[in-house]
Amino acid sequence: MTPLRIVRRARDGVAPAWAAVHPVLGRVYAARGVLHAAEVEHRLASLAPPAELPGVDAACALLAEAIARDRRIVVVGDFDCDGATATAVAVRGLRLLGARDAGYRVPNRVRDGYGLSVSLVDALAGDAPDLILTVDNGISSHAGVAAARARGIRVVVTDHHLPGPTLPHADAIVNPKLAPDADARLGNLAGVGVVFYLLLALRARLHPGDRAERDAREAAALGRVSHKNDRPDLAALLDLVALGTVADLVPLDANNRCLVEAGLKRIRSGRASAGVAALFRAGARDPAHAVASDLGYVLGPRVNAAGRLDDMRLGIECLLTDDPARADSLARQLSEINAQRRELQTAMVEQGEAMVAAFLARRGGDALPHGVVLCEEGWHPGVVGLVASKLKERLNRPVVACAPAEPGSDELRGSARSIAGFHLRDALAEVDACRPGLIARFGGHAMAAGLTLSRAALPAFAAEFDVVARRRIEPGSLQRVAWSDGELAAADFSLELARLLRYAAPWGQAFPEPLFDNVFDVEAWRPLGERHLRLGLRVDGAAATLEAVAFNVATAPPPRARVLYRLDVDHWNGRERLQLVVHHLEPA
């Protein structure tokens, strides 16, 4: 696989413009473009107002009328964690705002495919909805929207995916990607964030209070319940908003960090919903110490597993229930499904790596495509995105992994993951423009996308995708790079700094958790399980040995190593201790 090169972030002598910050944290913030305290205070009052969300007024008018007339509202979600949390937020929020007949449906992955399809509209006919509210989908559902409106059903689309050249003829479309300003403050919302903002705007319309709350003051009032006006407390949904936002890997810009941090604070204070609390228990994590990585690596995969291998309704029901016992039962089921997913993923990734290794053995490294396309008859269509993600990390080039939509099908479902600087959806649009008909359907983001194509079209698609990738990717960008925030002095290896860094921000996509690199003497090591190592490291000038853990390292470490790591707080038996988590090590 592609070798890794450690690169230190440029510092240029820039320091934050406020004094009360630890020097190490200051340089971490500065390297991420944060120079003022207000940018990391994460106050809800600093949220962009709902009025900035395109289409929100028309959508609010339709929903307000539906609630006033007791219309049946059906939320149509998606089968990933963003879609599940968005569905739960929509249903919970609508009920809080007075909707007495609000339910949901999730497409069947095989029968209906993604989004609001014609087959799903036909299946909904028995529910006789008056209004369909899509969450985390719908911007590309032209036929489904048309079919619903032909039946007299109103359609409100809420989505955050990039629109195509034409929009569906919905009654209202709420999508931050439709803002005329490319740098709009809401441009990076996840699907759950979009519908949460819609609910904020709807609350302002239904419960205006003593002030006009269609401007920035709506954000300042978030979470406060006015007893005079009995305004519903939408802050109760923030743990779900945080979970979906982190799990969908949208950039954690200032606005998203505010949402995520507000959700984490609710979780840490014991105010999480029954389902989120149950998922923490199922993952053996303490919610009192919750951070964004818990949402991304522990809770998110459990919810996602339901949509990948089983029925996403399990995940949604876990997030909707207020019964702790039922939530625990559903969370246990989700954990069991997730364990199956991990086993399947491991086998599929090994097959994918074997395919790449066989190709390299036959053709050599120079022949490896810039855009890699893989397909295997026995792969599961719900797990190919994880395969693409793992291989993308190891090859450092965009990867599309495909599988039959169902055993023996001529239709293939593909999931793509990208590297920095290569916009996946734009690349697929270019393939579609150059070779019309190769791709039946596609959609997504810059870093992740999905597509459908026929088995017969796969070779031509793979060739054209590589052509586009070679045109768009500079050869130097194919080098695997790990970014470091520099070295730490011996005195910086403290539990105090580890705690500070852990809770300094919701770290995540586009706002990465701090990693450092130093040269250490490896004074001791031993296996930890089958694929991990426990290490004793000493940095020059230090009096004590530092405890470290390295995951997925099967070989003995060198006696002196350059190590890329993060400072971590290890919670065990009610005690805290400093621990280094090793991301990469190489001979010094």
Side-chain angles (χ1 to χ4, degrees), residues 6 27 282 357 444 559:
I6 299 173
R27 85 182 196 220

Side-chain angles (χ1 to χ4, degrees), residues 223 233 235-239 261-272:
D233 183 11
L237 307 174
L238 281 167
D239 59 335
E261 182 63 16
L264 287 170
K265 286 179 179 176
R266 289 190 66 86
I267 294 168
R268 293 181 199 131
S269 65
R271 295 179 293 161

Side-chain angles (χ1 to χ4, degrees), residues 52-54 175-188:
E52 291 187 11
L53 192 60
N175 188 330
K177 298 297 192 296
L178 297 176
D181 180 5
D183 296 322
R185 290 187 288 173
L186 298 179
N188 290 318

Side-chain angles (χ1 to χ4, degrees), residues 471-519:
R471 188 156 51 232
R472 288 174 172 248
I473 300 174
E474 294 292 332
S477 300
L478 298 177
Q479 169 71 53
R480 286 177 66 209
V481 171
W483 292 94
S484 166
D485 288 290
E487 64 182 356
L488 292 181
D492 290 329
F493 290 93
S494 68
L495 182 59
E496 178 187 8
L497 180 58
R499 285 196 199 102
L500 180 63
L501 292 173
R502 178 180 176 86
Y503 299 111
W507 308 106
Q509 190 74 10
F511 203 75
E513 188 168 26
L515 297 179
F516 307 95
D517 73 279
N518 282 72
V519 173

Side-chain angles (χ1 to χ4, degrees), residues 414-459:
S415 192
R417 298 293 184 270
S418 192
I419 60 175
F422 183 74
H423 196 297
L424 262 181
R425 193 200 174 280
D426 287 356
L428 292 176
E430 185 174 342
V431 171
D432 188 52
C434 294
R435 296 290 302 275
L438 278 184
I439 310 175
R441 296 184 298 278
F442 69 93
H445 309 284
M447 302 301 288
L451 64 153
T452 301
L453 68 163
S454 70
R455 189 185 298 268
L458 183 65

